[in-house]
């Protein structure tokens, strides 16, 4: 690989500097801290501030590749799809009629992909730190859960119109919590919780593996608290994602249980499903939110999204090859030419439609190729192994599936709070499920 040859040249050039530098010898610790700071600051800091810590980690990784002996980049098959996606987006930006807006959006894309490379490169030689990263994500989820409970009991008022109440009775109006994520929005908070909830189970599985059963029960309680917090957001897209996350967790849990426990598990799963269904239909506000998912055009929020989808599809038909260029501001400017009167929108409310609108059909196919390759690789890894690394891959897989399903009805996925969680989870799968990736001659080095 040409890049690795360049890195090797500079590594030889900087060998004495590396040998005599305390910072360079311990640069992995600084990268680790930058990853943790991204996780921490995602819970309360403005988007730009979160990005600064990601950029810091990216720069440290670049310094590491230029100075640390034998430091290399390796790519998996999925990474090749990601490279194709990046190149198509670059061409799309170059051809955009709103070049400056597109460049701004493209810079964000570079940061996200650079952060992914940073996490992969770090975890490749520090796999023991995966559990600590997942614990950090779990603790962030726990903190947000406490905030959500506090907001719920205080019955916080809406900051903007978050629910169609025109056809609801007073008891059917839900107090929608929004945590500390900025900008305050229950859909953003719901999407974030969807991404971090699986990580809370690390606080259950790690004690369970070490036979600390009381601590494991506490971890299971934290998972339950996080699930309740997501429910309190009233985010219907997050409800859909949560349902499939729980189903996925149940399927794999059942598979790995000893035969003697499988019948008990099915009984407990049936009891849980019955209780959850009873709660949904007995709590008027929650019942109204769930039923509204299936209300189609009868619900104003659903109807709004359908109108936006129609307009965005017209945008796609006119720009199907390379799109209009990436970025929220770029989308807003072009969308105004297609929108139906009274249905202004900040995004396409569907990450797949938005990707195709911004960068064209081939960018969407490359992105889907990247996603499916990683999902298939994760599933194969889980089915073939039985160790703690399997748990890490499972939790990352569940998180990714939840976020991608939520993405069918919302685009908070593109917010940095969700993006950084997504790329951390993808990086965990990349490192564990694909091993060392591809060698220079293209053969697998797993």
């Amino acid at each position: 690989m040409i890049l690795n040859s360049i890195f090797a040249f500079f590594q030889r050039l900087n060998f004495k500097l590396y040998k005599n530098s305390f910072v360079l010898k311990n640069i992995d610790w600084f990268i680790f801290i930058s990853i943790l700071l991204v996780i921490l600051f995602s819970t309360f800091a403005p988007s730009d501030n979160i990005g600064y810590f990601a950029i810091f980690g990216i720069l440290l990784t670049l310094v590491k590749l230029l100075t640390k002996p034998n430091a290399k980049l390796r790519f998996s098959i999925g990474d090749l799809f990601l490279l194709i996606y990046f190149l198509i987006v670059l061409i799309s930006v170059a051809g955009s009629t709103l070049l400056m807006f597109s460049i701004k959006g493209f810079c964000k894309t570079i940061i996200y992909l650079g952060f992914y490379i940073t996490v992969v490169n770090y975890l490749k030689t520090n796999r023991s730190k995966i559990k600590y990263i997942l614990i950090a994500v779990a603790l962030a989820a726990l903190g947000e859960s406490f905030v959500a409970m506090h907001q719920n009991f205080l019955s916080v008022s809406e900051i903007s119109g978050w629910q169609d109440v025109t056809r609801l009775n007073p008891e059917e109006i839900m107090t929608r919590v929004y945590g500390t994520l900025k900008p305050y929005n229950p859909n953003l908070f719901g999407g974030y919780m969807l991404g971090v909830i699986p990580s809370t189970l690390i606080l259950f599985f790690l004690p369970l593996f070490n036979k600390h059963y009381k601590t494991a029960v506490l971890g299971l309680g934290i998972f339950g608290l996080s699930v309740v917090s997501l429910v309190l957001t009233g985010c219907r897209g997050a409800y859909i994602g949560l349902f499939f996350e729980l189903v996925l967790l149940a399927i794999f849990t059942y598979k790995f249980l000893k035969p003697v426990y499988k019948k008990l598990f099915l009984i407990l799963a049936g009891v849980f499903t019955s209780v959850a269904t009873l709660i949904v239909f007995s709590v008027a506000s929650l019942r109204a939110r769930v039923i509204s998912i299936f209300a189609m055009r009868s619900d104003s929020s659903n109807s709004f999204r359908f109108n936006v989808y129609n307009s965005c599809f017209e945008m796609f038909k006119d720009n199907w090859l390379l799109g209009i260029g990436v970025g929220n501001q770029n989308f807003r400017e072009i969308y105004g030419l297609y929108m139906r009167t009274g249905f202004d929108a900040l995004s396409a409310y569907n990450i797949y439609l938005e990707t195709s609108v911004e960068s064209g059909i081939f960018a969407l196919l490359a992105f889907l190729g990247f996603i499916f390759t990683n999902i298939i690789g994760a599933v194969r890894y889980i089915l073939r192994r039985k160790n703690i690394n399997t748990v890490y891959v499972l939790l990352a897989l569940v998180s990714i599936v939840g976020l991608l399903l939520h993405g069918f009805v919302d685009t908070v996925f593109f917010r940095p709070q969700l993006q950084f969680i997504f790329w951390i989870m993808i990086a965990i799968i990349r490192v564990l499920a694909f091993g060392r990736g591809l060698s220079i001659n293209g053969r697998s080095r797993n």
Side-chain angles (χ1 to χ4, degrees), residues 158-172:
E158 294 181 356
I159 296 177
S160 61
W162 288 339
Q163 187 176 2
D164 179 11
V165 299
T166 55
R167 300 185 182 184
L168 298 179
N169 297 322
E171 68 274 10
E172 293 178 323

Side-chain angles (χ1 to χ4, degrees), residues 79-100:
D79 294 333
L80 295 181
F81 280 108
L82 191 62
L83 177 61
I84 294 171
Y85 167 79
F86 176 81
L87 293 175
I88 294 173
V89 171
L90 178 61
I91 296 170
S92 173
V93 170
S96 175
T97 56
L98 298 172
L99 183 61
M100 295 310 298

Side-chain angles (χ1 to χ4, degrees), residues 20 29 35 70-71 102 112 121 128 138 170 292 316 381 392 395 401 415 435:
N20 298 315
W29 279 104
I35 295 171
N70 300 317
S102 291
Y112 294 144
N121 185 269
S128 62
S292 69
F316 168 69
Y381 183 89
Y392 300 153
L395 298 183
V401 169
R415 300 294 303 178

